[in-house]
Amino acid sequence: MATSRTLISSNLFIFFLVMATTTNGQAPAPTPSGPTNITAILEKAGQFTMFIRLLKSTQASDQINTQLNSSSSNGLTVFAPTDNAFNSLKSGTLNSLSDQQKVQLVQFHVLPTLLTMPQFQTVSNPLRTQAGDGQKGKFPLNITSSGNQVNITTGVVSATVANSVYSDKQLAVYQVDQVLLPLAMFGSSAAPAPAPEKGGSVSKGSASGGDDGGDSTDSSDAERIGFGFGVRIATVAAIAAASSLWI
């Protein structure tokens, strides 16, 4: 009787052991396949709330997703600024932009080709972004790399690629610590034009040819010279008229 109980217990133990091993050894259920979604990727990564909001409000996220899932796509590279990067902007920066400028701002963070980390070391500057050709000087995006560090300059700000957020055969998303501000929209604020009053004063001095800027003195001298010459002409004319009377 004791032997039977031992045998039954052993069989039950082996049965449960086999069941547990089989269950643990099963591959996890595959995730539902679907099109690539840039906002879903950023939401899963976290700390990109403001960039996601900008992507959605400009409908740039729909354009990115459509392009990614197109058969003719060459892939995309997205530089995603963190919420801290947006918070470091001057107050009212985004609100001062028009709808079109907001679209261009997002497009400036997207490259129309897929770049891996090693490829940053061999790229040709300036890079072309979705906002336009950097060769024309309005949307320059230059990348320099040293070892594992990748830096981005726009002519307005300098940013660092912190890490890779996501990558596959079509899309590479990199976290950056600054919002990439294009020169076309923010470059003028870095070099304000001189005051027109100062420019007018310089122009007057140059026109007069005086080194000491004495415009009033030069003008008075000219008036005195002109007045004296006029008096001499009037005197000669009067003498000539008197002489004719005597003749």
Side-chain angles (χ1 to χ4, degrees):
M1 187 70 177
T3 302
S4 298
R5 289 179 179 176
T6 302
L7 183 60
I8 292 172
S9 298
S10 299
N11 290 338
L12 288 173
F13 175 77
I14 293 172
F15 172 78
F16 286 117
L17 180 62
V18 171
M19 289 295 295
T21 303
T22 304
T23 303
N24 293 333
Q26 287 179 347
T31 55
S33 59
T36 305
N37 189 303
I38 181 63
T39 54
I41 291 171
L42 293 173
E43 286 171 354
K44 184 177 180 180
Q47 68 178 335
F48 298 104
T49 304
M50 299 184 72
F51 188 52
I52 292 171
R53 189 181 305 165
L54 196 58
L55 284 167
K56 290 182 176 180
S57 64
T58 58
Q59 299 183 350
S61 57
D62 295 337
Q63 296 174 358
I64 291 174
N65 294 335
T66 300
Q67 187 170 348
L68 285 173
N69 296 285
S70 171
S71 58
S72 60
S73 174
N74 293 322
L76 294 175
T77 301
V78 177
F79 297 112
T82 61
D83 290 336
N84 288 335
F86 278 97
N87 290 332
S88 66
L89 289 175
K90 184 179 179 181
S91 179
T93 297
L94 293 181
N95 292 333
S96 66
L97 301 178
S98 65
D99 292 342
Q100 181 181 358
Q101 288 176 324
K102 288 179 182 178
V103 171
Q104 289 177 321
L105 178 63
V106 175
Q107 291 175 336
F108 192 57
H109 290 73
V110 182
L111 307 181
T113 54
L114 175 65
L115 288 180
T116 62
M117 273 289 192
Q119 289 177 321
F120 284 134
Q121 300 181 4
T122 58
V123 294
S124 298
N125 291 317
L127 295 179
R128 180 180 180 84
T129 69
Q130 295 282 52
D133 190 352
Q135 297 287 351
K136 297 180 180 180
K138 293 184 177 180
F139 295 95
L141 191 68
N142 297 290
I143 288 182
T144 58
S145 61
S146 177
N148 295 327
Q149 183 172 349
V150 178
N151 298 322
I152 305 174
T153 57
T154 71
V156 179
V157 297
S158 297
T160 301
V161 175
N163 58 63
S164 176
V165 177
Y166 176 88
S167 64
D168 59 21
K169 294 181 179 180
Q170 288 185 309
L171 175 65
V173 182
Y174 299 101
Q175 175 184 327
V176 291
D177 62 352
Q178 297 288 336
V179 179
L180 305 181
L181 303 179
L183 193 65
M185 288 185 279
F186 298 93
S188 60
S189 60
E197 292 81 2
K198 184 177 180 179
S201 175
V202 172
S203 298
K204 280 186 176 182
S206 301
S208 64
D211 294 335
D212 59 353
D215 296 336
S216 58
T217 303
D218 294 341
S219 177
S220 299
D221 291 342
E223 290 175 359
R224 286 195 296 269
I225 292 170
F227 176 77
F229 184 69
V231 169
R232 287 195 294 271
I233 292 176
T235 303
V236 172
I239 294 172
S243 299
S244 62
L245 291 175
W246 284 106
I247 295 171

